[in-house]
Every structure is written in C-alpha cells, then in structure tokens.
Amino acid sequence: MKIQMRPGERLVLPFLLASLLTVDALAEMPQEAAIAEAVDAGAEVLASEAQEAEPIPPAKPEFTRTLRSITEDALVGRGLVTGVYRGSPKVLADPEKYEREYYSTLASHRGKPIPQAPPPPCDQPQRTKYDTEGCRIVNSMYTDVEDPVLREKYRETIRRGRDVWFKGTFGNQEYFALHVGNGLFGEPRYPDQSHWLDTRKREDRYRLWGMMNDPDCEKGDESTYWTDRCKDPHSSGVIGLRKYVNQNPPEGFDPYRTPYQPGELADSRRFVIGQACAVCHAAFDPTHPPADPTHPEWENLTGHIGNQYTNNTNQFFGNLPADHFAKIMYQGIEVGQVDTTSGHMDFVYNPGTQNNITDFQNRPVFEEKIKHPITGEVSMAKTRHVLKGGEDSVGEKLSLLRVYLNIGMCFAECTADKFPKPGAMFGEDAIHKPFRIKQCYQDCEPWNQADAKMDDMALYLLAGGPFYLRDAVDVDGRKGEEYIEEARVPAGRRVYARECAVCHSSRVPPDAIRSNKDALEQFYSGHVFGREQDWMRELGADVVNAERFQAKHVRDGRPAQFVRDEVFGQDWLGNDELVAHNILGVNRCRSMHGNQVSGAVWEEFSSETYKERPAPAGEYPKTLNPLLPLVGGKQWWGGNEEINGGRGYYRNVSLLSIWAHAPFLHNNTLGHLRKRPDGGIDYTVRGRIIMFEDAMAELLTSDDLTVEPHREPKITRVPVDTALPMKLGGKPFIPVAAGTPIVEITSIDPHAPTHMTCADYVENKGHQFGVDLHIEDKRSLIEFLKTL
C-alpha cells in the first residue's frame, strides 16, 4: 500500500496519513493484519525520511543530574518487587504479540492503533533530537555491565520506557470530548486548547502557562494549519500533548484535504489532542536550565521531575470568559498543582503538586493486604505509598495504569458508565461505581497495550536520581555550589538529625526514641543523609576523623552504608509513613481524596490495608452548603465530615532535591513564586534558590496569628461574580459573589448538595515543626538542605 503525499507535506502529514490508513482503510481488517499494515506504512514513511537524518552529533558534556542504572534483577534480589498483579491474562498469554506491537500501539483510536515506528539503534543516525538525547541517556548507563548483550538489553528497556512516558496516550484523546466537553457544554465537544497549541503563541507557552516547547519543533504557518512544524508529526509542539487526525470531523470537513479554516484549532476540527505523562512530568532540569525557556534543548529537559511551574489545570479553560465557573475554579488552583480528581470527581477541592520522581528504588516499601483484581484473592504483598495520602497502594504496575485511566484511557469502554447521572440526587444514579480491571482488559484493548509497557516505564522512572545543587550550572555559568555556605552544613546536619529525620529519612528509628532528640542525634550519628561523595563535608572533619567514628562507620575509606548497599544505601529522605492530617496541622482537604475508598471508582487501586485504616482522631461537624438560603455555611451538628475508609492522612515525603522544589507543602502554597521580567516563573538555579530560601523561612515561621512574625493565611477566593449550574453540562444560574472562598463552590457534591465535603479554608497552615528553633539553627538547616 503506497502513501500519496502532496508537495510540501513531508513534515506535516506522513504519520497522520499512516494513522488514517489504520483507522479507515484498515478498519475492517483483523486486528493483527491491521497493525501489521499500519506498521509497514509507518516504516515506509520513515524510510523515506531516513536519508534526511542528521549524523550523530559530537558527545555533549556529562550529565549534571543523577541517573541510576537499576535493573529488574536487582529489584527482585532485594525483594523490592511490589503488588500482586503481573499483567492481564491477555498479555501474559501472548507476550510476543505485545512485543511485536510495542511502538505501533503507543496511541490508538477506539482500539485501532495509530502507528509510531521504533527509533533507530543508537549506533545509527537518529531522526530527531529527542531520539539522540535518548541515546545519550542510555549510553551513560550500565557502564559496569560487562556482557554487551545484557548491557544493551538494559539500555533498550530504559529507552522504551522513556518513549512510553513521553509519547504513550493509548486512545485518551476521546475522553476530553466525551467527558470534559460534556461537563462544560452538555454535549460531546473538544475543549478549546488553541491558546497554547496555536504556533503563533509559541513564544508565550512558558511565560503564560509554564509549558515546555518541543525542541524538535519550530514555528509553523498556514501550511501546518498554524500548528508547530515538528519532525515527529504527532508532536503538538508542547511536550506531552500528542496530535492525531480527528476521525470524526464535522460534516463536509476533510482533515486531509480541506484548506485551513479560521478557528479550527479551537474546536479540534482537524486534530485532536491526547495526553502523555510528560505533560505534567517533564520540565527544565534544575541543574542545567536553558538560556531561553522558549527554545530549550532536550539536554535541558528531564522527565524525572514534576513540572511545578505549569498551569496545566487551566489547559482546557483558558479561552472561556473570565466569569465562567469552570475557568474560575481551575484558575484558583496554584501553579504547579493538578487536581487528579477533577475528571473522575470525588467533589473535594484537593489539588496537589505533581510528584517528584527521584530514587524510587530506595523508596520505602510496606507489607499490606492486597486483593488481586482478576482472581479476587487477598494476600500480603509489598507496596509503596504513591499518592499524597497513600492511595494507589497496590504496586507500581497498577499505579501507573491508574494514571492512564485518570487521563482518559478506556474511558468509553470501562469508565463512562461508572459516573453519577447528571442531576441525580438519590439512589444508585447519584453515586460513583467501581471500575473493574477484569472487565476492562477484556473490553478495551488499549488497557493491554499499556499493561505490556508498564514494566519498561517503571524502570525508566527508577533511572531518575537526585538533582544536586553542587553539580548545577546556571544560565550565566555560575556553579550551584556557590549558593551553599559550606561552613554551616555540619551544624545543619545535626539539626536535621534531631528535628527532621524522624519523618524525613528512610532509616526509621525505633518508636521508643522518636520523641527524644538526643537519642535521635545518636541514632543518626554515623548515617549519611546526602550522597556518598559529599559525606565528609556533610559530617565535618572533626566527626569524620575521630578514631571511634572511623572504626564504627567507615569501611575502606567509605561510609559503611554505601559499602554494604551501594546505590541502595542512599537515604530517600522520607519514610513514606502516613501521618494524620490533624497532627501535621495542614489543610485536610487533600487527605480526604475519596476515589480509592471502598465503593469508589478506583477502589481496586488501593490495598485492603488502606481501606481498613482507622479514621484519624478528631471530628469536624458538617458545614451546610454556603449557597443554601438562610442556613448556608452553618455547622450541622447532626454528623461529621466523612474522614474514613483510608482517608485523613498524608505521607511523609522525600526531601531529595528539595532546593529545586519550592514553594512547599502538598499544595505549593508555602512560599512565593519569583517572576522573570517577562512574567514567566524564574526557573534558573538562582531563581530556585531564592524561592527555596523564601519558602524555608515561611516553613519555619508560626502560623499562629497571635505570634509575630507569623504566616499570612492564604485563602483562594472567587475573583469575579459568577454562577453555577445545578448539574454538569447545565446552564449556570446559581449566583456566586466575588470574594467567596473558592472551597465553598468546589467542595460541594452536586449529587448530595446539602453540605460541604470539606470545609477547611486556610491553604498554607500547619507543619509547625522547627518554628521554635534558634535563628542560627534555622540558617544552618537551610544550608544543609541545599546539599541534598
């Protein structure tokens, strides 16, 4: 089958034509034949482009960030394999099939593949700078593996996992019309993303929305339908947003032949957009930022960090009127946050930061009761606590698959019928119903196509190590280590051992000494919190050179923990234990995330141990819906907020690379964002350090309003008068005045609207540990944290 291209279309449509062949001309073929034909078509296009591939560029400088060469064998040997689910019955029965289809099934339309050919081997010229950077990454890894066949196998695994992270969408483009569009407009309609997909706004993407421009793209024109001109035709120009031909265009519109029409980007007439994980989890490398945020190179970008500067929660609503309720609710979410229950709603206002994916091989594991989603058998197994409240506690494989579900994979086949019916307030129609993995893998082939790739993606995530300030080089050439007051580091380490490590170390002290600071200092006396090569600077010469210390904690000139465990000896700087929200004193709404409790949509993605966890101490009377006449906003003493079924807790997070992650807390509300002269957030090393020091100062300040100084409480409020609908997709008519706390309209379940689901208003309170430290101890602690 030949692909016909019109002159000038080489860079715009080759893969799009291949996708059309897959969906239309091959629609009646058996699945195997359709995939084979699609791959052949994609390969033919790539072969025609291969002659234009640039030669392998000269080697670039060594990485300033850390990469970890972790293997599956090492995880198995250390007992770090988690969960009970090893793959769907379809994948386990025919792994060769899913291996053959690996790249052709990264994207699909209603189960039919949209092909993407595999990248060339790394000893050959690459088609894109993205692929070249992938080779640079993997070629720096596994250098100590002597067997060349095994070494290349490990490297190929990481490279494929990276490709899934940046390119895998698995058909989720349809979700945004079927659910997001329905919720906004009451009918299937793709939300308007033209405000950042329009190539004429390419220079504004980071400044206004914190989005990353694809280095393999350039500004387009009318011949590219005012999208970016990209070497990968599925790239939208924005990293993580993938572009596909609209297979259900308006009547009379041919996405391949109809000339450009004004406004077509706004309603997705020609192209529809799917999301890959990278849209939230790719960002500038803190240790190697770009000189120009609009024109980064791939060496300036990393997939191992949450994009804490993105305003992606405003992704679908930027062009709505300023007084539209949806725009107001989502613009109220802080930069760097995402509300993962805004689609599959639990009706609690609970946005949180994107997770920093660092040194996961050292993240603590826990023994919990887990139910197998296919057999129903309950057994004890290991898991990690993934989300902020310990949700997704069923092992990494299912946790990763749940993320894809959350951004729309298999929505029509497996999830759409689990939502409450708009307007329903009683009975089964008014509640969510649990998603079932056993049904989904049988009815939705993209589940299996994603399932078969999750092990590779997990190993790619395990390749991400810390971002050390000492290795950073700023845009002006200044070294990151110049921002560290080294003389204070050993004293700061002592403060950390006494005040912080009980929660923020993966070396967990016995219960008997957790409240005894002298005992804690002794417990951590020979322990290295930072990386091995900095251990003498961390502990200080007086400590390191002591004869007793050398005999107890040093082996052959190295810290004993690294001699014993090598890379697995690195402290993860968090114990991931769950602490009741009232002990932390922070805003409780995120801890009331409700999608993984029994009977909720994602109940199969939390352990039985999670669901059986007792409610935290303390009761909060229900607050009547503030929009109710006469009684609105009053406490209802007939019952309490439902903090049960596993809810009400936050996990003790890692402080690895904390210098690069201000503002702080689970919701990015502690500290202030520093802006560049153009209005964009300051992503430079210097900018991050200024924001870090500001956030630390606020973290170590009391939130008690009777104390001076104190934190000024942050309460997000509705900026202009607006109106709410009675149901999703309905016409707004319930008035809401400017100045109303946003939680009063976002923490209301429209299917049970008599009371608020969470009535906690102040967003930056809590975490009062360390506020009473002496000023010199605070300064030393801040300097020590810069080294981690």
Side-chain angles (χ1 to χ4, degrees):
M1 180 175 292
K2 297 295 183 182
I3 298 176
Q4 300 297 321
M5 289 184 288
R6 301 190 300 277
E9 290 179 336
R10 168 172 296 280
L11 292 179
V12 182
L13 293 179
F15 271 106
L16 305 181
L17 288 171
S19 71
L20 181 66
L21 288 170
T22 304
V23 177
D24 293 343
L26 308 179
E28 302 305 320
M29 288 188 177
Q31 184 79 349
E32 285 282 336
I35 291 174
E37 186 78 5
V39 172
D40 289 344
E44 182 177 346
V45 172
L46 291 173
S48 70
E49 291 182 340
Q51 60 186 343
E52 299 179 4
E54 297 181 0
I56 299 174
K60 294 182 179 180
E62 292 185 2
F63 287 96
T64 50
R65 65 181 185 266
T66 310
L67 293 168
R68 303 296 199 196
S69 299
I70 306 299
T71 68
E72 186 176 5
D73 293 339
L75 298 176
V76 171
R78 290 180 171 271
L80 297 177
V81 176
T82 60
V84 296
Y85 180 84
R86 299 290 173 257
S88 80
K90 282 189 175 182
V91 174
L92 296 176
D94 195 356
E96 292 81 9
K97 168 183 182 294
Y98 291 96
E99 175 66 21
R100 290 193 305 272
E101 301 170 2
Y102 197 95
Y103 278 91
S104 64
T105 56
L106 282 170
S108 61
H109 171 73
R110 298 184 180 175
K112 296 182 176 66
I114 300 174
Q116 298 175 67
C122 284
D123 60 355
Q124 299 178 14
Q126 302 298 303
R127 289 183 295 273
T128 65
K129 290 187 285 187
Y130 166 84
D131 290 331
T132 300
E133 181 68 4
C135 290
R136 187 171 82 105
I137 290 170
V138 299
N139 285 342
S140 72
M141 300 174 64
Y142 303 106
T143 54
D144 59 343
V145 177
E146 295 182 359
D147 183 336
V149 175
L150 191 59
R151 182 171 61 244
E152 291 312 306
K153 174 187 173 185
Y154 291 155
R155 288 174 173 175
E156 181 67 12
T157 295
I158 301 301
R159 195 180 189 197
R160 297 202 310 178
R162 176 175 178 259
D163 290 343
V164 179
W165 191 247
F166 278 88
K167 298 182 178 181
T169 57
F170 305 107
N172 65 20
Q173 64 270 18
E174 298 301 314
Y175 162 77
F176 300 105
L178 293 173
H179 182 55
V180 178
N182 263 332
L184 277 177
F185 312 113
E187 60 178 328
R189 189 193 306 178
Y190 286 99
D192 183 355
Q193 300 184 71
S194 63
H195 52 294
W196 59 29
L197 294 180
D198 192 320
T199 194
R200 289 164 289 193
K201 299 180 181 179
R202 193 171 199 272
E203 305 296 311
D204 296 326
R205 287 178 186 151
Y206 178 76
R207 179 176 67 86
L208 295 180
W209 302 294
M211 302 307 289
M212 306 287 111
N213 276 337
D214 186 333
D216 282 300
C217 299
E218 61 185 21
K219 196 169 185 177
D221 51 35
E222 188 169 346
S223 72
T224 64
Y225 312 110
W226 297 110
T227 64
D228 283 13
R229 179 175 280 109
C230 301
K231 291 184 178 181
D232 175 358
H234 287 310
S235 175
S236 68
V238 177
I239 291 175
L241 295 181
R242 305 289 289 167
K243 178 179 66 180
Y244 311 108
V245 171
N246 187 350
Q247 301 302 324
N248 301 291
E251 185 175 353
F253 184 90
D254 183 339
Y256 296 92
R257 295 177 177 84
T258 301
Y260 173 78
Q261 296 179 353
E264 68 174 53
L265 284 175
D267 60 12
S268 301
R269 233 169 294 169
R270 192 179 308 270
F271 302 119
V272 294
I273 303 298
Q275 284 190 357
C277 295
V279 72
C280 289
H281 293 282
F284 298 140
D285 181 343
T287 64
H288 186 47
D292 180 353
T294 301
H295 300 100
E297 295 296 337
W298 280 107
E299 64 191 75
N300 303 125
L301 296 158
T302 172
H304 290 111
I305 190 171
N307 185 357
Q308 70 265 46
Y309 303 149
T310 183
N311 187 12
N312 66 8
T313 46
N314 193 31
Q315 181 176 149
F316 306 117
F317 311 108
N319 290 341
L320 291 175
D323 63 349
H324 193 286
F325 74 93
K327 183 167 185 173
I328 288 171
M329 287 193 290
Y330 281 87
Q331 284 190 329
I333 296 175
E334 290 284 337
V335 167
Q337 294 181 5
V338 60
D339 186 346
T340 60
T341 63
S342 64
H344 303 79
M345 296 187 77
D346 63 357
F347 305 110
V348 180
Y349 183 62
N350 56 17
T353 55
Q354 289 95 334
N355 283 339
N356 174 26
I357 301 165
T358 302
D359 261 4
F360 264 32
Q361 82 282 355
N362 288 329
R363 190 170 183 171
V365 295
F366 302 86
E367 288 277 346
E368 298 190 2
K369 290 190 295 183
I370 299 176
K371 179 186 288 187
H372 196 289
I374 307 298
T375 67
E377 179 183 359
V378 177
S379 58
M380 297 299 294
K382 291 180 179 177
T383 186
R384 292 180 175 90
H385 296 154
V386 176
L387 298 183
K388 300 193 186 309
E391 309 92 349
D392 276 11
S393 49
V394 286
E396 277 66 66
K397 191 179 185 83
L398 282 181
S399 296
L400 292 171
L401 283 165
R402 201 276 310 157
V403 174
Y404 278 110
L405 292 170
N406 213 85
I407 55 176
M409 180 180 75
C410 295
F411 177 77
E413 300 90 340
C414 308
T415 315
D417 62 345
K418 308 300 188 294
F419 282 78
K421 293 183 179 179
M425 294 189 185
F426 305 100
E428 291 294 309
D429 289 346
I431 60 174
H432 279 98
K433 299 167 185 63
F435 166 94
R436 295 302 182 205
I437 295 169
K438 189 173 183 178
Q439 172 262 322
C440 195
Y441 90 83
Q442 297 177 79
D443 294 344
C444 181
E445 185 58 17
W447 170 278
N448 302 302
Q449 294 161 352
D451 188 319
K453 301 174 177 61
M454 291 302 100
D455 290 338
D456 288 350
M457 195 166 80
L459 284 167
Y460 165 69
L461 299 180
L462 287 166
F467 302 86
Y468 288 111
L469 179 59
R470 284 190 173 117
D471 292 339
V473 180
D474 212 347
V475 295
D476 60 358
R478 185 176 179 181
K479 301 291 183 65
E481 60 188 359
E482 296 179 31
Y483 293 102
I484 301 171
E485 192 176 343
E486 293 286 356
R488 287 187 176 274
V489 169
R493 183 207 172 277
R494 178 175 179 271
V495 176
Y496 189 87
R498 294 174 63 87
E499 304 286 342
C500 312
V502 67
C503 292
H504 296 292
S505 171
S506 49
R507 187 182 184 214
V508 180
D511 289 342
I513 68 167
R514 287 194 173 198
S515 60
N516 186 327
K517 294 180 181 180
D518 291 335
L520 287 171
E521 183 179 354
Q522 182 62 32
F523 177 77
Y524 289 110
S525 61
H527 183 70
V528 178
F529 294 110
R531 61 180 174 178
E532 179 180 1
Q533 68 196 70
D534 296 331
W535 73 284
M536 292 185 182
R537 287 190 285 183
E538 174 183 322
L539 291 159
D542 292 345
V543 172
V544 169
N545 293 329
E547 184 175 334
R548 183 177 178 184
F549 181 92
Q550 288 279 327
K552 187 175 181 180
H553 299 298
V554 181
R555 302 288 182 273
D556 298 323
R558 297 175 62 196
Q561 72 197 70
F562 293 102
V563 174
R564 180 178 62 251
D565 293 319
E566 296 296 337
V567 69
F568 292 93
Q570 172 67 58
D571 196 319
W572 192 67
L573 301 183
N575 61 27
D576 249 7
E577 293 179 352
L578 297 171
V579 179
H581 72 274
N582 50 307
I583 293 176
L584 295 172
V586 297
N587 185 285
R588 67 180 177 274
C589 292
R590 175 57 186 81
S591 75
M592 294 174 68
H593 179 113
N595 280 350
Q596 273 92 344
V597 302
S598 293
V601 61
W602 306 136
E603 73 164 13
E604 292 190 334
F605 296 89
S606 64
S607 69
E608 304 309 293
T609 302
Y610 170 88
K611 289 189 270 282
E612 294 169 1
R613 185 174 294 118
E619 296 180 343
Y620 303 91
K622 290 183 178 179
T623 298
L624 290 167
N625 186 337
L627 299 180
L628 293 175
L630 301 179
V631 297
K634 294 183 178 180
Q635 290 186 333
W636 180 22
W637 293 98
N640 297 298
E641 289 181 359
E642 296 179 7
I643 311 180
N644 52 26
R647 303 193 298 174
Y649 294 81
Y650 288 105
R651 61 180 181 83
N652 293 326
V653 299
S654 171
L655 300 188
L656 285 169
S657 311
I658 189 64
W659 68 271
H661 286 88
F664 295 156
L665 293 187
H666 65 277
N667 53 11
N668 255 17
T669 58
L670 203 60
H672 303 88
L673 291 168
R674 174 182 169 83
K675 297 294 184 70
R676 292 161 51 86
D678 65 0
I681 298 170
D682 193 346
Y683 61 91
T684 64
V685 176
R686 179 174 180 270
R688 290 177 189 265
I689 290 298
I690 291 172
M691 288 187 283
F692 167 75
E693 291 178 342
D694 172 72
M696 282 301 303
E698 191 166 344
L699 180 73
L700 296 172
T701 298
S702 174
D703 64 5
D704 185 344
L705 301 185
T706 67
V707 173
E708 291 296 339
H710 61 260
R711 298 179 199 166
E712 290 301 321
K714 176 178 175 52
I715 301 175
T716 301
R717 298 180 183 274
V718 175
V720 297
D721 292 346
T722 186
L724 299 179
M726 281 290 292
K727 63 179 183 180
L728 290 177
K731 183 178 180 180
F733 73 94
I734 303 172
V736 177
T740 300
I742 203 164
V743 69
E744 293 188 352
I745 63 172
T746 52
S747 284
I748 301 290
D749 183 349
H751 306 284
T754 57
H755 59 273
M756 297 177 67
T757 53
C758 179
D760 202 352
Y761 288 66
V762 178
E763 298 160 32
N764 64 338
K765 64 182 180 179
H767 198 286
Q768 294 292 280
F769 313 106
V771 298
D772 295 327
L773 287 172
H774 188 276
I775 185 62
E776 290 300 310
D777 285 340
K778 290 181 180 181
R779 289 181 59 189
S780 295
L781 176 62
I782 290 171
E783 296 306 311
F784 173 65
L785 289 173
K786 291 178 184 177
T787 71
L788 301 178

